[in-house]
Amino acid sequence: MKYALIGCGMISPNHIKAALASDLEIVALCDLVEENRQKAFELIPEDKRSGIKLYSDHQEMLKEVKPELVAIALGSGLKRKLSIDCMRAGANVIVEKPIALSLEDADAMINTANELGLKLIINHQLRFGNTVRALKKESENGEFGKILHGTVQVRRNRNKAYFDAGKWRGTWAEDGGTLMNQCIHYTDLLQWVLGSEVSEVFAYTDRMTHPYIEAEDLGLAILKFKNGAYASIEGTVNVFPKNLSDSMAIFGDKGTVSLEGKTLDDVKAWNFESGPKGRDEAIKEYNIKDMGSGHIPLYRYAVDVINGNDDKICTASDARKALELILAIYKSAAEHRVIELPLNNCKTTDFTGRFD
Ligand SMILES: NC(=O)c1ccc[n+]([C@@H]2O[C@H](COP(=O)([O-])OP(=O)(O)OC[C@H]3O[C@@H](n4cnc5c(N)ncnc54)[C@H](O)[C@@H]3O)[C@@H](O)[C@H]2O)c1
């Protein structure tokens, strides 16, 4: 399958590794900055480099190399335009999370994929970890009994150098703050694992230690789900002096799971009235050995979906739900009130000037 990457920045090595591991034929790399596309090119083993073209203009690339699959790893404000350009040129797309920064943009992307019969896969790669898959299975099998509440903590440090490395970072038009950028994997997982949608949100957000960004560096939210469960989300990039481990826990009246680590593979508690067998069985079933950051199993999944398998694990409409939840949190914090979902229309730029 002919593959191209648009955006050769910080996350691009994960995409290149995953493309190589999935036996994709890398035909082009595209980035506005020559040094970045050259660096990405050098990550590809020499025996696989012949025939790869480097571009600064994605339209020119699409016209000349006609990729069947394009990955888009750019600032989030550009995702609608570039993904639709790729789909109109006949390519399936993998888009880095978040899907977009407005519900209207997400809908336009999903509708385009549906109209053209192409696949739009959003990079919510944590769904592919063995432990997370096992957790989802325990939940689907009803092993938690009644799910009572979930918690998520994303405690990171992002300094000025991180934000200076990309003009888009921390802006309302192209990124959002820590909830949209760092926490969206977990707002996605909470809804997926609980198997329910959020009905109400109340939240605080603030910009406490990063005066040079526009959006929040701290978010605290309480969620109520349609199935009666609750959840709390704590997301920050203010942790001194460096990241603590991410964590997520689910509490039911017949089960408790508490996980930590970059891909939530560090099990702190896995207690079920029915016993621990679910995790072992699920791990045997999925058996993902090269999880890394999660891009490799996500790419393999994308290839399978393009080849006709069901798109059940990582749908674009779920990615839209993860976006909608963050926007509802932003709205609640800005208006200082409980927000009910679904939202009509909302976008990050609705909050422009919030912390000024
Ligand atoms: N899945 C994950 O865990 C994960 C982790 C980090 C980042 N991300 C996401 O990946 C995306 C990119 O993040 P990053 O940290 O790599 O950003 P980055 O700023 O390091 O890289 C973006 C690259 O895109 C290039 N670019 C900008 N506009 C372009 C255009 N029109 N055409 C071609 N190239 C263009 C820039 O020159 C830059 O090299 C973001 O959406 C981010 O949220 C996801």
Side-chain angles (χ1 to χ4, degrees), residues 55-318:
Y55 292 89
S56 59
D57 181 322
H58 71 281
Q59 292 285 28
E60 197 185 324
M61 177 200 84
L62 292 168
K63 211 161 117 198
E64 285 186 12
V65 301
K66 299 187 174 40
E68 296 158 275
L69 172 60
V70 179
I72 297 177
L74 300 167
S76 299
L78 295 169
K79 288 169 180 169
R80 173 183 180 160
K81 174 166 175 25
L82 271 83
S83 66
I84 291 179
D85 286 350
C86 291
M87 289 189 273
R88 295 240 176 270
N92 300 281
V93 281
I94 293 174
V95 176
E96 264 298 352
K97 61 76 201 164
I99 180 171
L101 296 176
S102 86
L103 295 176
E104 193 194 329
D105 286 356
D107 288 337
M109 293 161 71
I110 293 170
N111 292 339
T112 304
N114 290 341
E115 272 165 30
L116 298 174
L118 292 163
K119 301 300 175 193
L120 166 66
I121 312 272
I122 312 302
N123 222 129
H124 281 296
Q125 78 270 10
L126 295 190
R127 288 186 174 215
F128 294 90
N130 288 315
T131 308
V132 169
R133 294 284 292 275
L135 170 61
K136 169 71 177 161
K137 194 162 185 173
E138 299 278 25
S139 169
E140 269 177 350
N141 291 346
E143 300 292 350
F144 280 98
K146 179 176 165 52
I147 297 188
L148 308 170
H149 87 283
T151 64
V152 158
Q153 281 121 11
V154 182
R155 295 166 171 168
R156 308 263 180 99
N157 176 293
R158 293 290 183 273
N159 59 18
K160 189 156 189 309
Y162 167 85
F163 288 100
D164 285 347
K167 273 199 290 197
W168 63 280
R169 295 178 194 275
T171 62
W172 288 115
E174 296 199 71
D175 189 15
T178 183
L179 291 170
M180 188 66 84
N181 190 318
Q182 282 81 26
C183 294
I184 197 159
H185 286 300
Y186 300 91
T187 56
D188 171 56
L189 285 186
L190 262 181
Q191 296 185 89
W192 190 52
V193 169
L194 263 63
S196 180
E197 290 169 9
V198 174
S199 57
E200 291 180 12
V201 173
F202 183 76
Y204 287 101
T205 61
D206 206 340
R207 184 189 58 191
M208 304 195 81
T209 70
H210 297 78
Y212 43 82
I213 68 171
E214 294 174 4
E216 84 286 354
D217 57 17
L218 173 70
L220 299 167
I222 302 293
L223 319 178
K224 186 173 195 297
F225 285 77
K226 285 184 183 160
N227 68 0
Y230 295 89
S232 66
I233 296 175
E234 172 195 342
T236 175
V237 282
N238 297 325
V239 176
F240 175 84
K242 58 181 186 182
N243 294 348
L244 294 178
S245 188
D246 296 346
S247 60
M248 176 166 149
I250 307 288
F251 302 92
D253 63 357
K254 294 190 165 81
T256 295
V257 167
S258 175
L259 305 175
E260 287 189 10
K262 256 190 168 171
T263 54
L264 297 176
D265 270 324
D266 181 4
V267 177
K268 298 295 176 194
W270 195 279
N271 304 323
F272 287 97
E273 193 178 79
S274 59
K277 62 179 187 332
R279 176 162 185 259
D280 299 342
E281 278 170 12
I283 286 174
K284 232 186 276 161
E285 181 182 340
Y286 305 125
N287 197 22
I288 289 171
K289 294 203 176 75
D290 47 5
M291 176 69 182
S293 64
H295 287 73
I296 292 177
L298 179 121
Y299 265 62
R300 292 200 176 121
Y301 172 79
V303 170
D304 285 348
V305 166
I306 293 165
N307 286 333
N309 277 9
D310 274 357
D311 184 8
K312 279 194 302 216
I313 303 177
C314 203
T315 64
S317 60
D318 278 2

